[in-house]
Amino acid sequence: MTDRLKKKLAQLASKEVGKVTFSELLSRHNSWKVGGRADLFIEPENTQQIARILHFVHENEIPLVVIGQGSNLLFDDVGVRGVVLKIGQQLAAIRIVGNTIVAGGGAWVPQLARRSMQAGLSGLEHCIGIPGTVGGLVIMNGGSQRKGIGDNIVNVTIVDKTGVIQLLTQEECDFSYRHSALQGSGCIVVGVELNCPAGEIKQIRREMLADLQIRRHKFPRKLPNCGSVFLSTTEMHATVGPPGKVIEDAGLKGLRIGQAEISQQHANFIVNLGGASSADILTLIAQIRQVIQENIGFNLGCEVRYVSPQGVIKPAHL
Ligand SMILES: Cc1cc2nc3c(=O)[nH]c(=O)nc-3n(C[C@H](O)[C@H](O)[C@H](O)COP(=O)(O)OP(=O)(O)OC[C@H]3O[C@@H](n4cnc5c(N)ncnc54)[C@H](O)[C@@H]3O)c2cc1C
């Protein structure tokens, strides 16, 4: 860390910005359990504090990474030279009135899905097994069964990269498959308003239980992982099947680099056998892509995002 950065981070930490920790281990904050230390780790308590932080880092050109549960992120072993901002429990309120659900950016997605079911609202059944926050889900337009959270969104409240609070409509977010216009904009999702049609509680519960059962059966649960590593494309799905099948058909299940292994249970998952490095995982990703490209001519793209030490977030294959 340079002297200038050290001074600026100390200045930021002395402001009212929430809970601050210097040199926090990032492997504690992602589901792969990988990553070095962040110079400054902040857990803000409200939107005003987030706006204050963003204004400061923008003015002072300090690298900033925002995270939720870290269930879709690969941190580098070197960590992050700058600020990591975690949006979590302090911004996790969920309120339901009629067909409208208002949730904080830090709300836990399975909890959001459960609350909607209890209120007799449908549309979020596909989210019940996604172990992330609402903010992370919105940015990724995450979901399952080829649905995305964007389908039910009315508007999203963000703090933009300069620290200004804004309300964006569904159209402005421009949701498409696992994509939104918010990606790469440097904004932080602090809240969301969803509209969900009424449904029958029993039926909604049945669908959610079925989804959870499939996940329990198909996905590795005991070893740290980041969910599906590669994205499915319509063309690939129609011709050779989803990435898990393609990787399995190529005989790669169980391939291991260091302590990272292609799951024996589901080939689109990479598991951490204990102490895997970011380099182990990135090398394994590169090898899978090379084999698939050579075998069947498809370029697999990553759903998982890599966070560089400079705080740049990109799909892990880039
Ligand atoms: C076992 C397992 C199963 C999974 N199943 C699915 C699935 O079925 N469908 C699916 O879509 N995903 C799935 N995932 C991936 C992941 O859970 C989702 O992408 C989730 O929505 C990410 O949320 P997060 O809070 O963990 O975000 P993080 O991983 O912390 O961050 C992901 C991205 O969102 C950004 N971000 C996070 N919070 C905010 C915020 N408040 N404002 C702005 N940007 C933010 C980060 O900067 C990063 O770019 C799975 C993961 C695991 C481990």
Side-chain angles (χ1 to χ4, degrees):
M1 195 186 346
T2 62
D3 283 349
R4 179 196 170 270
L5 183 58
K6 204 171 182 177
K7 207 166 126 199
K8 288 292 172 192
L9 294 183
Q11 221 175 318
L12 177 58
S14 70
K15 293 177 185 286
E16 204 199 308
V17 289
K19 186 178 170 214
V20 296
T21 315
F22 284 98
S23 197
E24 175 71 355
L25 202 52
L26 291 168
S27 56
R28 296 177 53 199
H29 299 282
N30 67 89
S31 61
W32 245 330
K33 310 260 176 267
V34 169
R37 292 181 186 273
D39 290 336
L40 182 61
F41 189 82
I42 310 182
E43 294 164 89
E45 288 151 12
N46 54 50
T47 305
Q48 284 65 37
Q49 289 181 350
I50 295 173
R52 195 170 296 139
I53 296 163
L54 287 193
H55 182 71
F56 187 90
V57 299
H58 182 70
E59 291 277 292
N60 292 285
E61 296 178 359
I62 298 170
L64 173 97
V65 173
V66 55
I67 66 166
Q69 266 317 301
S71 62
N72 207 37
L73 290 179
L74 174 62
F75 284 107
D76 197 281
D77 301 321
V78 168
V80 172
R81 300 289 70 82
V83 178
V84 172
L85 193 62
K86 178 165 176 159
I87 307 297
Q89 284 172 358
Q90 311 285 357
L91 287 132
I94 298 172
R95 203 159 35 87
I96 303 182
V97 181
N99 294 86
T100 301
I101 305 178
V102 178
W108 176 238
V109 172
Q111 170 75 353
L112 172 72
R114 215 169 293 125
R115 288 281 305 275
S116 73
M117 180 260 289
Q118 287 160 352
L121 297 180
S122 75
L124 303 184
E125 292 85 341
H126 65 103
C127 296
I128 186 69
I130 302 178
T133 62
V134 164
L137 194 71
V138 170
I139 287 283
M140 305 294 299
N141 190 22
S144 66
Q145 302 148 24
R146 298 203 75 79
K147 292 176 187 149
I149 186 75
D151 303 347
N152 292 85
I153 282 178
V154 178
N155 59 55
V156 179
T157 306
I158 61 152
V159 180
D160 77 12
K161 66 177 177 191
T162 65
V164 178
I165 301 166
Q166 291 185 34
L167 189 72
L168 303 179
T169 61
Q170 185 195 47
E171 290 70 34
E172 285 170 314
C173 294
D174 194 22
F175 294 109
S176 58
Y177 184 66
R178 303 296 172 258
H179 181 268
S180 75
L182 308 175
Q183 273 172 25
S185 71
C187 77
I188 293 190
V189 174
V190 290
V192 65
E193 184 181 321
L194 303 153
N195 185 277
C196 294
E200 205 201 319
I201 294 183
K202 268 190 187 166
Q203 174 61 20
I204 300 168
R205 181 181 286 123
R206 212 174 295 132
E207 277 182 45
M208 288 185 176
L209 288 175
D211 182 273
L212 289 175
Q213 200 161 358
I214 292 171
R215 282 171 185 267
R216 247 175 247 134
H217 181 68
K218 273 176 49 181
F219 299 168
R221 290 199 301 146
K222 296 208 172 111
L223 292 168
N225 66 78
C226 232
S228 299
V229 173
F230 296 103
L231 279 168
S232 183
T233 66
T234 320
E235 194 202 347
M236 191 176 81
H237 201 281
T239 45
V240 283
K245 179 178 181 304
V246 168
I247 297 166
E248 184 171 350
D249 289 349
L252 296 176
K253 242 185 178 180
L255 180 68
R256 183 172 164 182
I257 303 280
Q259 288 298 97
E261 184 180 87
I262 301 178
S263 168
Q264 306 274 2
Q265 215 169 330
H266 193 304
N268 198 16
F269 283 61
I270 292 178
V271 291
N272 179 355
L273 299 172
S277 65
S278 56
D280 291 342
I281 295 175
L282 289 173
T283 309
L284 194 49
I285 288 173
Q287 283 206 8
I288 297 168
R289 295 187 75 237
Q290 191 185 344
V291 172
I292 301 305
Q293 166 64 37
E294 282 169 9
N295 281 9
I296 54 171
F298 277 103
N299 267 321
L300 286 173
C302 278
E303 182 168 338
V304 164
R305 310 205 146 227
Y306 165 73
V307 186
S308 79
Q310 296 73 35
V312 179
I313 303 183
K314 289 184 193 161
H317 65 282
L318 301 176

